[in-house]
Structures are given as C-alpha cells and as structure tokens.
C-alpha cells in the first residue's frame, strides 16, 4: 500500500497536527513516549503529522526531502517528503520514506528497534533482514550545519 493510501486509511482515528512547530513538538513527544531519542527524526518544514494511537501508525509530511548527517556516527540519512511507520515501545516497524547512505550505496530502512535498553544501542534493519547497531546517544537532539534540504525540480 502506498504511503498516501496508508495515511488515508488511518486518518479517521488519528490525532492530526499542522504547522512545523506543533508537528516537531508532537514528534519529539511521541519518540520520547515510546523510549526513542528525540533526535531520531530530525525533520524540517513539517507541514502535517498524524498519529493513530490504536494502531501506532504515524506519518509526517515535509515540504521537501531532507538529508541529515548524524555527526557522532558519520551516517547520512535521507528523509522523503512523506515518512510513515508503526511505533510501539522500543520498536518502529514498516518504516517508509527513510534511507541511509553508506559510502556508495543507499539502503531503505525498514525497522528501528532497541532490544535491550541497558545496552545503549539502537538498531536499524533493512528489508533484507540485515541490521546495524549504533549508540543511542548518536541520535539525541543536536545542532547540525550539514543538513541539506532536497528541493523538488
């Protein structure tokens, strides 16, 4: 199911927020509520955010794609204009709209999880089932000058 169709199917039961400031604040609260670091989704220019608490489905719509480099681990992540997922305690499943650039390849991120919070590690899985772990501290809120907004042509 396409991201926009998925959003439409969950809108009836969702809390929906508009405008960057309110959406960013709500996104940070949602991440914190489910035990994720607030800097995990460093989105800019968010126009709409929705959260269906009954299913955990959430979405964020930005004006343009965003590329963000997590300085502490040297990883670059590309966030599409629409990002969707299902969130639950220490797990984000069925992620759509997030890709990681590693050297010369770009891979789609499908799941984000923290199996053992005491380990201080957060893992990112691709559809092929391969996962890579990083320190949770790398995803705390940070000031970043290397963010790039990718404008549509």
């Amino acid at each position: 199911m396409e991201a926009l169709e998925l959003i439409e199917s969950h809108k009836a039961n969702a809390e929906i927020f508009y405008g960057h400031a309110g959406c960013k604040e709500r996104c940070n609260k949602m991440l914190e509520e489910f035990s994720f670091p607030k800097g995990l989704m460093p989105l800019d220019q968010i126009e709409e955010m929705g959260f269906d608490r009954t299913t955990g489905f959430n979405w964020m719509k930005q004006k343009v794609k965003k590329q963000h480099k997590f300085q502490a681990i040297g990883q670059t992540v590309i966030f599409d204009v629409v990002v969707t997922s299902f969130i639950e305690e220490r797990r984000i499943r069925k992620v759509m709209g997030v890709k990681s650039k590693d050297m010369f390849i770009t891979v789609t991120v499908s799941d984000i999880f923290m199996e053992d919070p005491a380990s201080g590690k957060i893992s990112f899985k691709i559809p092929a089932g391969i996962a890579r772990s990083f320190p949770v501290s790398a995803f705390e809120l940070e000031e970043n000058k290397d963010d790039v907004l990718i404008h549509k042509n």
Side-chain angles (χ1 to χ4, degrees):
M1 186 179 271
E2 295 276 334
L4 296 177
E5 291 172 351
L6 202 50
I7 291 169
E8 284 303 315
S9 72
H10 285 271
K11 268 191 170 178
N13 295 322
E15 300 171 69
I16 303 174
F17 304 87
Y18 298 95
H20 177 71
C23 290
K24 185 71 174 174
E25 180 182 335
R26 183 61 189 119
C27 176
N28 288 342
K29 284 182 181 178
M30 179 183 70
L31 289 169
E32 187 175 46
E33 177 182 342
F34 292 98
S35 303
F36 286 97
K38 290 182 186 178
L40 187 61
M41 297 283 178
L43 305 179
D44 285 332
Q45 301 183 34
I46 305 171
E47 298 179 306
E48 178 181 307
M49 187 218 169
F51 179 47
D52 179 350
R53 191 168 287 283
T54 60
T55 63
F57 180 74
N58 65 88
W59 72 88
M60 286 162 267
K61 293 181 183 178
Q62 305 182 92
K63 288 184 182 180
V64 295
K65 286 184 181 183
K66 181 182 179 191
Q67 181 172 298
H68 176 84
K69 184 169 186 173
F70 289 96
Q71 297 293 342
I73 55 172
Q75 287 293 133
T76 299
V77 178
I78 300 167
F79 297 92
D80 209 341
V81 172
V82 178
V83 175
T84 66
S85 66
F86 290 85
I87 193 168
E88 57 194 62
E89 185 65 23
R90 296 188 330 237
R91 181 167 298 278
I92 302 174
R93 303 175 292 107
K94 299 182 182 179
V95 178
M96 293 175 65
V98 179
K99 294 181 179 177
S100 177
K101 285 175 63 174
D102 198 4
M103 298 202 39
F104 302 110
I105 59 171
T106 302
V107 294
T108 299
V109 174
S110 61
D111 293 270
I112 304 167
F113 56 93
M114 295 186 301
E115 289 181 347
D116 178 12
S119 73
K121 299 284 185 182
I122 184 168
S123 300
F124 298 82
K125 188 165 81 171
I126 64 172
I130 300 167
R132 189 166 174 196
S133 298
F134 299 97
V136 171
S137 61
F139 301 94
E140 295 299 337
L141 288 177
E142 63 183 29
E143 282 293 317
N144 194 326
K145 306 292 187 257
D146 292 339
D147 288 354
V148 177
L149 297 178
I150 304 170
H151 299 280
K152 293 180 185 177
N153 291 333

